[in-house]
């Protein structure tokens, strides 16, 4: 079976790694990889390929950054001829980024079955491009692999046939379990940043809703800067956020943080594993902290990953500075917060997916 897999942005790399590795190890698959170039900085892309052992892409589309509709259009234009040339049995997409939707559209128009890994997550917030990408990608997909029970319910409500949906668990957790020990033994990030296990926090911000408007970003950085004077906070700054901080003239507010560029996978994993608290607006980090049992505050109004709140260590607290600080204080006043591993987040999701793929054709 020939599978044409697609990656574009940082979280895609973490999800595709175990699938490509599994296809190669178990045999029976011809695997081809396309990188759209949505993320192109070395720190957002190449370092993940190196650390996770992802093979060099067979095709690189080099789209770069632009507004979502333009980026989706450009990816489609470049992906179509090579989808024809490769003539795969299926196009495999992961997650919810613009590259995911663009290549799902090309597959569907070309009558090539689309496989979506991480289907059915819904925030019900169409203000986020990812929600549009999720809903449409799922409508275009033939096989849908889900990470949590809520996803099946969402898909069935949207008219997806039950037989197309397979609850398999979380490939991101496969990667995390595979690399956790290696990260702990090999990464010296705690020493390099001068932080002690369980005596620091981590902050990541990149959602347009948090970083594009000065009236949201300024109070957040001011308040979290106050917290950072009591608990060292490592602020890993996404390229988008870096640009906004400069444009909005907020650079002085970075002073209380331990400011670092986007971190390689192993350093980030080690940091999360040892953190007292993580503050983020990322989707993947909500899941990774739940898998690690580390408290997470999600600086958004909603989550498409409710299992991380219902069973894991995540709390959705919005982006208002006073509320975020209150919730952070609350966590710091407790020894630990209860959380358990969601069903099938066991590091064996790739095997389940490949088994279903083999039976499918
Ligand atoms: C994208 C995904 C988001 C995911 C995130 C992980 C979409 C709609 N969003 O958001 O779901 O959580 O990746 O990081 O697909 N930039 C660089 N270098 C890069 C990449 C980006 O400088 O290698 C800058 C550019 O100015 C760009 C901006 O960051 O305009 C945003 O990049 P983009 O890929 O559009 O979205 P992300 O915010 O990274």
């Amino acid at each position: 079976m020939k599978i044409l897999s697609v990656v574009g942005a940082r979280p895609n790399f973490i999800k595709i790694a175990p699938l490509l590795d599994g296809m190669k190890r178990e045999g029976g698959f011809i695997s081809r990889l396309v990188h759209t170039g949505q993320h192109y900085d070395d720190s957002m892309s190449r370092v993940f390929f190196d650390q996770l052992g992802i093979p060099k892409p067979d095709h690189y589309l080099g789209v770069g950054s632009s507004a979502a509709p333009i980026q989706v259009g450009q990816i489609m234009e470049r992906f179509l001829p090579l989808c024809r040339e490769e003539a795969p049995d299926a196009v495999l997409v992961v997650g919810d980024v613009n590259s995911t939707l663009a290549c799902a559209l090309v597959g569907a128009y070309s009558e090539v079955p689309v496989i979506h890994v991480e289907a059915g997550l819904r925030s019900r917030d169409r203000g986020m491009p990812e929600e549009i990408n999720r809903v449409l990608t799922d409508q275009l997909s033939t096989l849908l692999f889900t990470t949590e029970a809520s996803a099946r319910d969402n898909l069935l409500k949207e008219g997806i046939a039950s037989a197309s949906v397979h609850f398999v668990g979380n490939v991101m957790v496969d990667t995390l379990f595979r690399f956790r020990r290696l990260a702990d033994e090999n990464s010296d990030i705690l020493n390099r940043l001068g932080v002690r296990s369980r005596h620091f926090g981590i902050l990541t911000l990149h959602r347009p809703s948090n970083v594009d408007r000065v009236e949201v970003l300024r109070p957040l950085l001011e308040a979290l800067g106050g917290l950072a004077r009591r608990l060292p906070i490592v602020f890993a700054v996404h390229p988008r956020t870096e640009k906004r901080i400069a444009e909005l003239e907020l650079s002085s507010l970075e002073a209380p943080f331990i400011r670092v560029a986007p971190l390689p996978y192993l350093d980030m994993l080690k940091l999360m594993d040892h953190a007292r608290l993580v503050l983020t607006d990322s989707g993947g980090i909500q899941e990774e902290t739940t898998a690690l049992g580390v408290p997470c505050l999600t600086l958004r109004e909603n989550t498409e990953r409710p299992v991380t709140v219902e069973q894991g260590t995540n709390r959705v607290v919005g982006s208002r500075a006073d509320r975020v600080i209150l919730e952070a204080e609350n966590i710091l006043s407790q020894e630990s917060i209860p959380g358990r591993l969601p069903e099938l987040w066991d590091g064996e999701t790739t095997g389940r997916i490949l088994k279903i793929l083999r039976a499918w054709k």
Side-chain angles (χ1 to χ4, degrees), residues 264-290:
Y265 183 73
L266 296 177
D267 285 342
M268 186 64 183
L269 177 52
K270 176 147 185 183
L271 267 187
M272 287 192 291
D273 208 1
H274 287 268
R276 179 76 176 86
L277 167 68
V278 177
L279 302 122
T280 189
D281 59 10
S282 154
I285 291 176
Q286 295 174 53
E287 295 185 338
E288 289 169 329
T289 45
T290 274

Side-chain angles (χ1 to χ4, degrees), residues 93 103 183 185 196 218 231 298 314 324 340 352 355:
V93 295
C103 295
E185 288 170 0
R196 280 185 304 132
R218 179 196 295 276
L231 176 76
T298 294
N314 185 25
V324 173
R340 59 186 158 97
R352 286 188 280 271
K355 191 168 167 209

Side-chain angles (χ1 to χ4, degrees), residues 4 7 24 47 64 131 154 200 228 245 265 286 332:
L4 184 56
V7 290
K24 187 170 154 207
V47 70
E131 182 71 357
N154 294 332
F200 68 94
I245 287 178
Y265 183 73
Q286 295 174 53
L332 296 178

Side-chain angles (χ1 to χ4, degrees), residues 15-301:
K15 292 167 197 168
I16 210 71
L19 291 166
L20 296 182
D21 186 55
M23 282 194 258
K24 187 170 154 207
R25 258 186 309 112
E26 293 193 15
F29 296 94
I30 300 168
S31 168
R32 294 271 186 278
L33 179 64
V34 180
H35 185 334
T36 65
Q38 178 175 345
H39 283 175
Y40 44 87
D41 285 359
D42 279 356
S43 65
M44 300 292 284
S45 178
R46 191 189 50 78
V47 70
F48 287 79
F49 277 72
D50 292 349
Q51 292 199 336
L52 301 176
I54 304 171
K56 192 171 173 299
D58 300 285
H59 305 274
Y60 185 73
L61 306 184
V63 291
S65 299
S66 42
I70 295 171
Q71 192 174 52
V72 169
Q74 284 174 344
I75 296 170
M76 289 180 72
E77 206 173 330
R78 295 179 196 192
F79 185 60
L80 177 62
L82 81 87
C83 190
R84 286 193 179 135
E85 177 196 321
E86 289 283 2
D89 295 304
V91 168
L92 185 150
V93 295
V94 296
D96 56 12
V97 303
N98 295 338
S99 302
T100 309
L101 172 62
C103 295
L105 277 164
V106 169
Y109 278 132
S110 310
E111 296 183 57
V112 177
V114 175
I115 300 166
H116 187 201
V117 175
E118 197 189 271
L121 297 178
R122 295 291 180 267
S123 65
R124 299 191 174 75
D125 174 3
R126 294 275 172 106
M128 285 174 70
E130 291 84 357
E131 182 71 357
I132 298 171
N133 297 342
R134 290 181 202 115
V135 170
L136 296 179
T137 301
D138 288 339
Q139 284 297 328
L140 299 168
S141 296
T142 305
L143 261 185
L144 301 95
F145 292 111
T146 61
T147 52
E148 59 171 278
S150 72
R152 169 182 287 273
D153 302 339
N154 294 332
L155 292 167
L156 298 190
K157 272 186 214 141
E158 292 171 17
I160 306 280
S162 174
S164 316
V165 182
H166 301 270
F167 174 35
V168 290
N170 196 324
V171 283
M172 202 167 212
V173 176
D174 285 17
T175 301
L176 185 145
F177 284 172
R178 178 159 170 219
F179 286 95
R180 187 178 189 181
R181 216 164 94 214
L182 185 77
D184 210 49
E185 288 170 0
N186 287 17
S187 167
D188 62 352
I189 188 78
L190 301 192
N191 289 339
R192 265 190 287 142
L193 299 182
V195 291
R196 280 185 304 132
S197 185
R198 303 284 172 244
H199 287 83
F200 68 94
I202 304 174
L203 170 66
T204 83
L205 291 173
H206 73 286
R207 297 276 160 217
S209 57
N210 280 331
V211 304
D212 284 2
R213 281 176 299 148
V214 70
E215 65 273 22
V216 179
L217 187 58
R218 179 196 295 276
L220 258 184
L221 291 180
E222 280 170 353
L224 291 169
L227 187 68
R229 290 195 177 85
R230 278 171 293 148
L231 176 76
I233 295 182
V234 179
F235 183 14
V237 185
H238 185 282
R240 174 191 201 99
T241 311
E242 183 180 18
K243 280 180 195 151
R244 293 296 179 263
I245 287 178
E247 282 162 15
L248 301 171
E249 298 180 4
L250 300 176
S251 304
S252 61
L253 297 182
E254 291 179 313
F257 300 102
I258 303 169
R259 184 199 189 287
V260 292
L263 287 166
Y265 183 73
L266 296 177
D267 285 342
M268 186 64 183
L269 177 52
K270 176 147 185 183
L271 267 187
M272 287 192 291
D273 208 1
H274 287 268
R276 179 76 176 86
L277 167 68
V278 177
L279 302 122
T280 189
D281 59 10
S282 154
I285 291 176
Q286 295 174 53
E287 295 185 338
E288 289 169 329
T289 45
T290 274
L292 294 168
V294 170
C296 177
L297 294 182
T298 294
L299 277 52
R300 289 173 39 191
E301 303 304 326

